[in-house]
Amino acid sequence: MTTIKQSWAEPYKIKMVELLKMTTPEQRNAALKEAGYNTFLLKSEDVYIDLLTDSGTSAMSDRQWAGMMLGDEAYAGSRNFYHLEQVVQEVYGYKYLIPTHQGRGAENILSKILIKEGDIIPGNMYFTTTRLHQELAGGTFEDIIIDEAHDAENEFPFKGNIDMNKLEALIQKYGAGKIPYVSMATSVNMAGGQPISMQNLKELRALTSKHGIKVIHDMTRVAENAYFIQQKEAGYANKSIKEIVKEINSYTDGATMSAKKDALVNIGGFLAVNDWDVFEEARNMVVVYEGLHTYGGLAGRDMEAMAIGITESVNDDHIRARVGQVIYLGEKMMEYGIPIVLPIGGHGIFVDAKKFLPHISQDQFPAQTLAAEIYLDSGVRTMERGIVSAGRKANGENYYPKLELVRFTIPRRVYTQAHMDVIAESVARVYQRRNEIKGMKMVYEPKYLRFFQALFEKI
């Protein structure tokens, strides 16, 4: 008897739709030229399928929308804050909560509290805003991710892991007193959404405890990381996503969270810590930079939607469908021979622009070029994660990352499998004419985080 495959389906049904604008090649060419060939500067109304980011772009549930009607907009002591605090403690396990307008608000406050001039902050690959806040506070980021993470074709299942030898070498070189914390991210974004294993976290906790160093968790996509632990790490197959998430957090001292990803809201974030002294200082600083400590730049309704979204985010059926859609798109691209980062990560597909456009040097921005070409073909908006995102060193020289990628980030609960087919077919068409594509030059570069606002011209 033939075994029939058991497919998964989305654990929801559609109640409302948002109509999309279909554009012509001529319209897309004009829109992209006006945007300086930077997909961040396109108007959303000119985009057909928007894969720029999964940050704040997810679809909220009926329960979240209903929760917004319960918004307590009191300036101080909103009941929605206390509901959010309770959910963070129950689901994530951290003691103290400081809400912020989004994740980078938490990064700013944390960096100002913990980092002194000359400090070293090791981490499992940089993220743009995280590293910038660390540098603005006087610190220097040091990459301690395993070498496999910089190899797009390496299929090691936990490419987000920290190399303990690299961390130990930094401790020996600078001394533990110069390392305020290890910046540990789950589902490492710049590596392609690659997870860190629970075993690696246990080893990290043991080493940092030995030297009195904190571990601060960038938990933006922690539920997706938990899914890969459940599926790939021995001993976790029968544990729920919620149980795994809480165990991950138990090996850390605090976390920054952009709730616009995993927590399924359009705005919001927080800093969560276990140390009273850090919390007390953060509670004071949030008043300066964000708002009172019981709203931190958010409306009561936003905090209520976040509390409900956190609960939904650790539902096993939800996360299986969320990552499953990403895997579906990745496998479709592989069928067309498109080079992508392997293994497939949790929040998007990362196309290897160096292999896609090997004739374009990194100084001519192959990933930026490819993102532009995909938009011209179909109206699908993606984003560059390569030399433009990496930015410049303190001495003005460009960083030259080994990975030069185009990120196809899938919003949660937004698009259908048919959209995934359209996306893969568009990339395949561009791949067929890849040898005709020329690179670009940068004609305007902002001071910070240049990938957001830089302007380009075709060569």
Side-chain angles (χ1 to χ4, degrees):
M1 177 184 271
T2 304
T3 302
I4 299 174
K5 179 184 176 183
Q6 183 174 348
S7 297
W8 59 269
E10 291 83 357
Y12 54 82
K13 61 182 179 179
I14 296 167
K15 184 176 290 190
M16 183 178 73
V17 297
E18 177 183 348
L19 301 182
L20 299 174
K21 178 182 175 181
M22 310 295 286
T23 56
T24 65
E26 293 75 22
Q27 289 171 326
R28 293 194 291 273
N29 188 60
L32 192 62
K33 192 172 182 180
E34 183 182 347
Y37 296 91
N38 185 344
T39 54
F40 270 98
L41 299 179
L42 288 166
K43 296 174 182 174
S44 67
E45 65 181 17
D46 294 325
V47 174
Y48 171 38
I49 300 173
D50 202 344
L51 308 184
L52 185 76
T53 180
D54 61 334
S55 179
T57 57
S58 298
M60 293 204 303
S61 69
D62 53 353
R63 289 163 178 79
Q64 287 178 285
W65 282 108
M68 292 188 78
M69 293 292 98
L70 301 175
D72 174 6
E73 307 308 339
Y75 186 89
S78 165
R79 64 173 173 267
N80 308 120
F81 167 78
Y82 296 108
H83 181 202
L84 177 60
E85 181 183 53
Q86 174 205 339
V87 169
V88 167
Q89 291 168 345
E90 177 194 338
V91 176
Y92 295 141
Y94 295 112
K95 291 181 182 178
Y96 307 116
L97 171 71
I98 302 96
T100 57
H101 75 283
Q102 61 183 74
R104 68 195 61 173
E107 292 172 347
N108 175 46
I109 291 170
L110 180 80
S111 298
K112 288 180 179 296
I113 291 172
L114 294 185
I115 298 172
K116 305 184 301 297
E117 188 73 33
D119 278 350
I120 304 298
I121 302 92
N124 54 342
M125 199 172 282
Y126 84 99
F127 184 67
T128 52
T129 60
T130 314
R131 185 178 68 187
L132 179 58
H133 281 122
Q134 292 165 351
E135 291 173 346
L136 291 174
T140 300
F141 175 83
E142 291 280 357
D143 189 4
I144 55 169
I145 203 166
I146 58 174
D147 291 340
E148 289 89 337
H150 296 284
D151 179 357
E153 295 180 330
N154 192 300
E155 295 197 50
F156 182 68
F158 292 102
K159 286 163 73 172
N161 278 0
I162 287 171
D163 187 322
M164 297 304 155
N165 291 327
K166 292 180 182 178
L167 177 55
E168 189 74 70
L170 286 177
I171 295 171
Q172 295 304 317
K173 181 177 180 180
Y174 296 103
K178 278 286 186 183
I179 301 175
Y181 63 93
V182 173
S183 181
M184 183 279 295
T186 41
S187 296
V188 180
N189 192 348
M190 305 300 280
Q194 300 299 314
I196 184 170
S197 73
M198 197 73 82
Q199 180 58 39
N200 190 250
L201 282 167
K202 292 176 183 177
E203 293 169 6
L204 174 65
R205 179 75 284 176
L207 180 56
T208 53
S209 295
K210 175 183 170 185
H211 293 282
I213 298 171
K214 296 181 187 297
V215 176
I216 300 297
H217 179 193
D218 177 350
M219 62 180 295
T220 294
R221 300 180 180 89
V222 65
E224 292 165 12
N225 197 113
Y227 177 78
F228 288 113
I229 290 174
Q230 185 190 63
Q231 297 298 309
K232 297 182 178 183
E233 190 164 359
Y236 288 91
N238 295 321
K239 290 197 173 184
S240 69
I241 295 298
K242 185 176 180 180
E243 289 173 316
I244 297 169
V245 164
K246 201 160 188 178
E247 184 179 347
I248 289 171
N249 295 342
S250 73
Y251 302 123
T252 70
D253 299 289
T256 58
M257 175 64 158
S258 173
K260 297 167 67 177
K261 284 83 166 177
D262 257 5
L264 301 163
V265 289
N266 304 127
I267 196 69
F270 59 77
L271 172 63
V273 295
N274 292 328
D275 187 307
W276 170 264
D277 291 336
V278 175
F279 167 65
E280 189 172 32
E281 193 164 353
R283 187 172 57 169
N284 286 319
M285 290 189 70
V286 76
V287 178
V288 178
Y289 291 103
E290 300 275 330
L292 196 67
H293 63 281
T294 53
Y295 75 87
L298 294 173
R301 56 184 174 269
D302 296 323
M303 292 189 285
E304 189 66 25
M306 192 193 307
I308 297 167
I310 289 170
T311 302
E312 293 178 355
S313 76
V314 293
N315 177 279
D316 285 71
D317 290 334
H318 158 73
I319 205 70
R320 180 173 176 237
R322 188 281 185 281
V323 178
Q325 192 174 56
V326 176
I327 292 170
Y328 177 87
L329 176 59
E331 290 176 346
K332 292 291 289 187
M333 287 195 186
M334 291 168 69
E335 289 174 13
Y336 290 118
I338 296 161
I340 66 173
V341 171
L342 297 173
I344 296 169
H347 69 292
I349 300 304
F350 291 67
V351 170
D352 188 337
K354 281 185 179 179
K355 290 188 171 63
F356 198 111
L357 301 172
H359 58 287
I360 298 179
S361 72
Q362 203 166 13
D363 285 313
Q364 293 181 358
F365 313 114
Q368 192 76 37
T369 299
L370 181 53
E373 292 293 333
I374 290 163
Y375 172 76
L376 288 172
D377 179 82
S378 60
V380 172
R381 174 159 66 170
T382 59
M383 70 168 294
E384 183 268 6
R385 278 301 186 219
I387 187 173
V388 182
S389 292
R392 295 186 184 274
K393 302 176 184 177
N395 62 8
E397 294 179 1
N398 280 316
Y399 285 104
Y400 285 88
K402 292 182 181 178
L403 296 176
E404 183 75 17
L405 308 174
V406 176
R407 189 180 78 178
F408 293 68
T409 338
I410 312 301
R412 298 158 185 81
R413 307 191 295 204
V414 172
Y415 294 115
T416 67
Q417 301 298 68
H419 288 112
M420 299 302 111
D421 292 336
V422 168
I423 295 160
E425 290 161 7
S426 175
V427 182
R429 286 193 297 272
V430 176
Y431 194 55
Q432 286 180 333
R433 60 178 179 83
R434 61 192 180 279
N435 294 328
E436 306 164 14
I437 297 172
K438 305 257 191 315
M440 297 197 295
K441 61 180 179 180
M442 191 184 297
V443 295
Y444 167 70
E445 180 178 353
K447 185 175 180 181
Y448 298 124
L449 301 174
R450 63 186 183 182
F451 63 94
F452 283 128
Q453 297 170 329
L455 301 177
F456 302 86
E457 288 180 357
K458 287 187 174 183
I459 293 176

